[in-house]
């Protein structure tokens, strides 16, 4: 058994980087344990992940705000507070805030995450607000 208290300070934040575009604040709820990691991620308007996939899938619970999520080859979907998203294993996708809203989600990530290219402005702009 493992009991984890939430971090009070973000584990990562700031603009840009190898995995995110824009200003994103990441709060680790549970470090990678037995193949699962739990994090709360707050995306500022315009911020989003790079394209990536999760070895054994990922569940996203949208806690606040409004965002977009898109799998490769599909159109982007709007997600709101209260939504739950299951991303199947190894499906390439990105998620983030819309251009005019914050979005905070809890991410339960299973297995290793493979990171790819950033989401271009033109791909990001195809979301419907
Ligand atoms: Mn993901």
């Amino acid at each position: 058994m493992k009991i984890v208290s939430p971090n009070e300070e973000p584990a990562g934040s700031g603009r840009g980087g190898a995995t995110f575009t824009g200003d994103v604040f990441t709060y680790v709820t549970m470090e990678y344990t037995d193949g699962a990691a739990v994090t709360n991620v707050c995306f500022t308007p315009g911020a989003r992940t790079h394209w990536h996939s999760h070895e054994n899938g990922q569940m996203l619970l949208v806690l606040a705000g409004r965002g977009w999520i898109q799998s490769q080859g599909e159109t982007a979907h709007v997600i709101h507070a209260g939504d739950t998203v299951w991303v199947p294993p190894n499906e390439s996708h990105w998620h983030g805030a819309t251009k005019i809203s914050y979005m905070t989600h809890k991410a339960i990530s299973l297995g290793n995450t493979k990171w790819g290219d950033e989401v271009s402005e033109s791909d990001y702009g195809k979301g419907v607000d």
Side-chain angles (χ1 to χ4, degrees), residues 5-25:
S5 296
N7 289 4
E8 294 180 1
E9 297 293 330
S13 63
R15 180 164 290 280
T19 54
F20 292 96
T21 299
D23 287 335
V24 175
F25 297 84

Side-chain angles (χ1 to χ4, degrees), residues 52 54 58 60 87 93 95:
H52 65 283
H54 307 280
Q58 181 182 51
L60 300 174
V87 181
H93 68 288
H95 30 110

Side-chain angles (χ1 to χ4, degrees), residues 45-65:
R48 67 271 190 183
T49 68
H50 289 188
W51 288 100
H52 65 283
S53 62
H54 307 280
E55 180 182 22
N56 296 318
Q58 181 182 51
M59 180 170 285
L60 300 174
L61 309 172
V62 183
L63 303 177

Side-chain angles (χ1 to χ4, degrees), residues 59-119:
M59 180 170 285
L60 300 174
L61 309 172
V62 183
L63 303 177
R66 182 179 177 89
W68 289 331
I69 186 166
Q70 182 179 24
S71 291
Q72 203 135 43
E74 299 182 9
T75 56
H77 300 280
V78 177
I79 51 178
H80 315 85
D83 288 345
T84 300
V85 181
W86 170 248
V87 181
N90 301 309
E91 183 167 295
S92 182
H93 68 288
W94 62 267
H95 30 110
T98 69
K99 293 178 181 178
I100 59 169
S101 176
Y102 286 77
M103 193 273 285
T104 299
H105 66 45
K106 182 178 292 290
I108 302 168
S109 305
L110 305 176
N112 294 323
T113 300
K114 277 189 199 164
W115 291 99
D117 294 335
E118 68 180 311
V119 178

